[in-house]
Amino acid sequence: GYRVSLQGTFSGHNLTYVTFAEYSPRRHIKLDPPSNIQSNATASKCQIWWSVPLYLAEILQYELQYKEYGVSWEAALNKTPAGSVPRVDIEGSELRSGVTYIARVRCKVSENEDSYQSQWSEWSQTTVFQRAGVPKLSEKIINVRTMQLLFIPLSFGTLLYLFWNYKLSSRYCCFLTSGQKASPALAFPHQLLSFSHSIICTTGILR
């Protein structure tokens, strides 16, 4: 340790004032603020990170402040990262969509560190960010393109069904009860009408 004293002449007398009888520089440190603070905001959260010298990274703790742009820092909210990680995540639920925010960070030696002690550094430069808008669900559950893709296999399946049904009808409806031969076309128009109605309804959905 060191002994810190002040000497001076007062009224013709040399006087000495002991300021610190035992002074340890490593317990009176004031660090430079973190540098290169950056941010990346999405709809779900905002990540803020910064840089410090590598030889200090493992013994530092941080305090981050953020607020709405234009509001006094006295109204800022505080975030303390876990451990010595130079990064903070702010959940999207803590931010208002469309509002611009500004953040800053400071550091000091961790209170868990025995070899060094320090006071808080000055605040860093600031970073500005804005939460991205939350995407809205489509008003239509199935969009037009999906309906168009579904229309082709559905129409093909309907044609196969009608063809098969027509084939069966032509086999079992060959004779009427009176003994007159029935034309397969007598049964087919009803099926064709049903198919046409299905096509019209599906086209209406696509529009």
Side-chain angles (χ1 to χ4, degrees), residues 1-206:
Y2 298 87
R3 182 173 183 268
V4 179
S5 60
L6 297 176
Q7 293 182 344
T9 302
F10 300 92
S11 302
H13 300 281
N14 293 328
L15 300 176
T16 300
Y17 294 93
V18 177
T19 307
F20 298 99
E22 187 70 22
Y23 180 79
S24 178
R26 65 175 55 193
R27 297 192 178 276
H28 297 81
I29 299 173
K30 185 171 183 179
L31 301 168
D32 291 331
S35 60
N36 195 31
I37 182 171
Q38 300 181 59
S39 58
N40 179 42
T42 63
S44 59
K45 66 179 178 180
C46 175
Q47 290 185 325
I48 303 176
W49 65 95
W50 52 88
S51 301
V52 293
L54 291 177
Y55 60 88
L56 294 175
E58 296 182 358
I59 65 171
L60 297 182
Q61 68 180 69
Y62 306 96
E63 181 181 31
L64 180 131
Q65 283 189 338
Y66 70 97
K67 66 181 183 69
E68 294 183 12
Y69 197 89
V71 175
S72 171
W73 282 108
E74 295 179 356
L77 299 175
N78 294 343
K79 281 280 186 179
T80 302
S84 57
V85 179
R87 188 187 72 246
V88 166
D89 291 344
I90 303 176
E91 295 299 325
S93 58
E94 302 177 55
L95 305 172
R96 294 197 297 163
S97 180
V99 174
T100 302
Y101 290 85
I102 184 171
R104 63 183 184 179
V105 66
R106 62 180 180 176
C107 66
K108 74 173 184 177
V109 175
S110 172
E111 295 177 355
N112 298 325
E113 180 64 36
D114 296 329
S115 301
Y116 299 92
Q117 291 181 356
S118 74
Q119 56 182 304
W120 284 110
S121 71
E122 299 295 331
W123 290 104
S124 69
Q125 298 294 317
T126 58
T127 182
V128 176
F129 59 94
Q130 186 178 94
R131 176 190 174 192
V134 180
K136 296 182 179 179
L137 295 176
S138 175
E139 295 180 358
K140 297 181 180 180
I141 300 177
I142 302 177
N143 58 29
V144 174
R145 182 171 180 82
T146 303
M147 288 298 299
Q148 290 173 343
L149 294 176
L150 291 175
F151 174 76
I152 297 174
L154 287 175
S155 299
F156 182 74
T158 304
L159 286 173
L160 287 178
Y161 170 78
L162 293 176
F163 176 79
W164 183 253
N165 195 25
Y166 165 74
K167 189 174 182 180
L168 291 177
S169 298
S170 64
R171 290 182 179 180
Y172 294 104
C173 297
C174 293
F175 296 96
L176 298 175
T177 55
S178 62
Q180 297 178 352
K181 188 175 180 180
S183 172
L186 294 176
F188 182 76
H190 298 285
Q191 299 163 357
L192 182 60
L193 179 61
S194 176
F195 172 70
S196 299
H197 178 70
S198 175
I199 294 297
I200 293 172
C201 293
T202 306
T203 306
I205 294 176
L206 291 179

